[in-house]
Amino acid sequence: MTYSEFFAEIKGKFLEADVSNIKDHLTFQFNIIGEAQGIFYIELKNGKIRIEPYVYNDRDAMFTCTAETLREIEMGKLDPVDAANDDKIKVEGNIEKAKRFGELVESHLKAVQGK
């Protein structure tokens, strides 16, 4: 799988999340290593989500992982905190804000289950 294919897949899935209850400004950068290597960011601001294939220099947290690890998190098969504790995902930056990535994952999973 190429980075472009992976990015399109993950963007499409996370855009389904209802983030209207997240009013804070949070930015997460993802550095994908291995297959589908590349960088993208997710920005949550005023209850809206934006996902772009660029570096976000003023990010709150940066996650480094494989495409497969992020896919497992997105599907609810792997908890983001467990992934960090098991060294499947490396986290840098503001740890408290990084933990809030879990809110996005939960919102996404609720949207998927509601379909």
Side-chain angles (χ1 to χ4, degrees):
M1 172 174 282
T2 68
Y3 167 74
S4 295
E5 292 167 335
F6 175 71
F7 175 73
E9 173 191 325
I10 222 66
K11 180 177 181 176
K13 290 181 177 185
F14 276 118
L15 282 176
E16 295 175 343
D18 176 8
V19 295
S20 59
N21 62 330
I22 303 174
K23 300 298 182 190
D24 297 326
H25 184 221
L26 301 168
T27 53
F28 309 118
Q29 180 175 309
F30 292 85
N31 297 341
I32 304 303
I33 56 175
E35 182 184 5
Q37 180 176 338
I39 296 173
F40 68 92
Y41 72 85
I42 298 176
E43 179 181 36
L44 304 170
K45 184 177 181 181
N46 298 322
K48 297 185 190 294
I49 187 169
R50 184 173 157 198
I51 304 171
E52 297 295 337
Y54 308 111
V55 170
Y56 197 105
N57 291 320
D58 195 24
R59 61 195 167 254
D60 293 310
M62 182 170 61
F63 301 97
T64 302
C65 64
T66 64
E68 186 58 33
T69 295
L70 188 55
R71 228 188 242 114
E72 288 178 8
I73 291 170
E74 175 271 320
M75 293 186 299
K77 294 181 179 179
L78 180 62
D79 179 77
V81 174
D82 291 342
N85 290 336
D86 293 341
D87 292 326
K88 290 186 175 186
I89 191 167
K90 181 180 176 186
V91 182
E92 296 177 49
N94 184 316
I95 298 302
E96 289 307 310
K97 288 188 177 184
K99 288 178 182 177
R100 299 204 51 204
F101 173 59
E103 293 176 43
L104 172 59
V105 173
E106 287 177 27
S107 295
H108 161 67
L109 292 172
K110 284 180 186 176
V112 171
Q113 292 168 354
K115 287 186 172 184

